[in-house]
Amino acid sequence: MKAIAAVALGVLTAIGGFVDIGDLVTSSVVGSRFGLTLTWVVVVGVIGICLFAQMSGRVAAVSGRATFEIIRERLGARMALANLSASFLINLLTLAAEVGGIALSLQLASSIAPALWFPVAAFAVWLVIWRLKFSIMENVTGLLGLALVVFAVALFLLHPDWSSLGSQVLLQPSPHTDESAGTYWYYAVALFGAAMTPYEVFFFSSGAIEEKWKTKDLAQSRINVLVGFPLGGLLTLSIAACAAVVLLPKGIAVSSLFETALPVAQALGKIGLIVAILGFVAATFGAALEVTLSSGYTLAQFFGWPWGKFRRPASASRFHVVMILSLVVALGILFTGVDPVQVTEFSVVFSAIALPLTYLPILIVANDPKYMGDRVNGKVTNFFGLIYLGIILVASLAAIPLMIVTGAGA
């Protein structure tokens, strides 16, 4: 049990961050339209989020402070405000998508319209944040999210043509695929944005403070990163592969979580579908918890307010008020009648736009000996960090033009 608890934060961050509603939908859409030809994007995204998450966790463990607190102090109020504005607005959009994702998951289980589940989902998120300890929250949600392994099981039971899938991974297009280059690159950016959503690193860093990590816990931090995020990447590829095997040949478009779950139902029947729905609920619920907490973390850390679940709510009242208001805004977005799946697709693309404002400050702080002492980044980490900043900048600049040219991938 100690071994499981040691990686719980990484599993929760990966299940709730890497495999959230954005990845569930985007991976299924990509698999149903492009097969596994975008596998390389997932690999690039996993390496990138591992690189910056370990920086963020190391900053927290060594300095004893969350990354966003140091960003404001190190880079000044203006730079931190730009970072806060971008990440907070993306958080609100992402939170609406995650609450919508919980509702869509519960619709699969109950056939009750998602709109009736929106307030229930938001209230449940608030209740867990208000009442449960951080350790219980991360252990239960992270472990239940592992139900998504059912997609990997389903893939084997579907008996796919492994050579065909392998050729797709090597970028040879599937014979069923007839998509434009612009649409291909639009979904590449969306998949990359889903993998490196900004709230993941802020949650991971603040979670390290919640768990009271110190320098002696750096090994645990690395284990969390190297277990959690690659696991999330494998689950993402399993979802895409299932869609490539079942949905792509039949030309089935993904417009809801029903289509995402269809391959599992075909391979494993009702039992598999129940397990998949459990995974959907756990992943979207875990993500909603992360994004809600991340909203409170970033705003409280910027203004220097008391924050954290380790404090009683009365001692961190503004932190909790921000989270409540974030959930209210998310509900307001959903009750406009917008399609939660559409909100999800837009949230991952806009996440790509905000990436430079998130990851450049983390790289700067991780190289500052004032906070890090002799635990600053090494040359190899900085080399890859700079390469990824270049990739992030390209993805950020390309996101809006590709969205316009392709009609948001239509």
Side-chain angles (χ1 to χ4, degrees):
M1 287 301 294
K2 287 185 177 180
I4 294 174
V7 298
L9 179 59
V11 172
L12 172 58
T13 308
I15 297 296
F18 206 105
V19 195
D20 62 355
I21 185 63
D23 264 282
L24 289 172
V25 172
T26 305
S27 300
S28 191
V29 169
V30 165
S32 69
R33 295 179 65 171
F34 303 93
L36 292 183
T37 58
L38 284 166
T39 296
W40 65 272
V41 178
V42 177
V43 174
V44 170
V46 168
I47 295 172
I49 194 63
C50 284
L51 180 68
F52 283 95
Q54 68 85 18
M55 283 188 218
S56 191
R58 178 158 40 87
V59 168
V62 173
S63 69
R65 300 169 65 187
T67 305
F68 202 88
E69 287 182 303
I70 298 178
I71 287 174
R72 189 188 190 290
E73 185 178 292
R74 172 65 176 79
L75 302 180
R78 288 186 179 180
M79 181 64 184
L81 182 60
N83 190 324
L84 173 67
S85 300
S87 62
F88 193 77
L89 290 174
I90 295 300
N91 269 10
L92 291 177
L93 190 61
T94 305
L95 182 55
E98 303 302 348
V99 172
I102 299 171
L104 291 174
S105 303
L106 293 173
Q107 180 194 26
L108 275 180
S110 66
S111 298
I112 296 174
L116 297 178
W117 285 116
F118 294 156
V120 176
F123 179 76
V125 169
W126 170 78
L127 192 62
V128 168
I129 290 174
W130 183 264
R131 299 299 301 173
L132 288 188
K133 292 182 179 180
F134 190 88
S135 57
I136 296 174
M137 182 191 78
E138 66 178 357
N139 285 323
V140 173
T141 311
L143 293 177
L144 285 178
L146 292 176
L148 291 174
V149 171
V150 72
F151 279 90
V153 175
L155 179 61
F156 280 92
L157 294 180
L158 287 168
H159 303 294
D161 182 342
W162 293 105
S163 62
S164 175
L165 290 180
S167 68
Q168 292 172 35
V169 171
L170 297 175
L171 305 184
Q172 296 179 29
S174 163
H176 305 288
T177 300
D178 185 22
E179 300 281 357
S180 69
T183 306
Y184 175 90
W185 286 106
Y186 170 79
Y187 279 105
V189 169
L191 205 54
F192 184 66
M196 298 194 67
T197 312
Y199 75 82
E200 293 177 74
V201 287
F202 292 132
F203 175 80
F204 190 72
S205 169
S206 300
I209 302 301
E210 297 270 20
E211 293 198 332
K212 299 180 174 60
W213 283 2
K214 303 296 181 186
T215 303
K216 63 181 177 61
D217 299 307
L218 286 176
Q220 181 179 336
S221 173
R222 284 191 290 270
I223 292 171
N224 268 268
V225 168
L226 295 177
V227 170
F229 291 106
L231 172 63
L234 287 174
L235 294 178
T236 293
L237 289 177
S238 296
I239 294 167
C242 283
V245 171
V246 174
L247 307 183
L248 177 59
K250 298 176 182 178
I252 298 175
V254 176
S255 58
S256 70
L257 286 180
F258 172 77
E259 288 83 17
T260 301
L262 195 57
V264 173
Q266 180 174 318
L268 292 161
K270 289 183 180 180
I271 298 298
L273 182 59
I274 291 170
V275 175
I277 292 172
L278 175 63
F280 290 164
V281 173
T284 52
F285 196 85
L289 292 173
E290 283 189 37
V291 183
T292 305
L293 282 164
S294 185
S295 297
Y297 288 147
T298 52
L299 209 64
Q301 289 164 15
F302 178 82
F303 287 109
W305 301 337
W307 60 272
K309 282 181 62 57
F310 60 86
R311 289 189 168 94
R312 295 175 63 85
S315 302
S317 57
R318 286 172 290 191
F319 168 67
H320 282 273
V321 167
V322 169
M323 292 190 289
I324 292 170
L325 291 177
S326 296
L327 285 166
V328 170
V329 171
L331 283 176
I333 293 172
L334 291 169
F335 277 123
T336 62
V338 65
D339 180 2
V341 173
Q342 205 167 43
V343 174
T344 298
E345 292 175 350
F346 280 115
S347 71
V348 296
V349 173
F350 284 118
S351 289
I353 298 170
L355 292 181
L357 290 171
T358 299
Y359 291 106
L360 174 59
I362 291 173
L363 185 62
I364 292 173
V365 169
N367 277 287
D368 193 331
K370 175 182 175 182
Y371 303 100
M372 301 300 294
D374 61 355
R375 300 285 185 169
V376 295
N377 284 353
K379 291 181 179 179
V380 174
T381 301
N382 280 331
F383 173 76
F384 285 105
L386 290 172
I387 288 177
Y388 264 89
L389 281 180
I391 296 171
I392 285 167
L393 185 60
V394 170
S396 176
L397 293 174
I400 292 297
L402 285 172
M403 179 183 284
I404 294 171
V405 169
T406 65

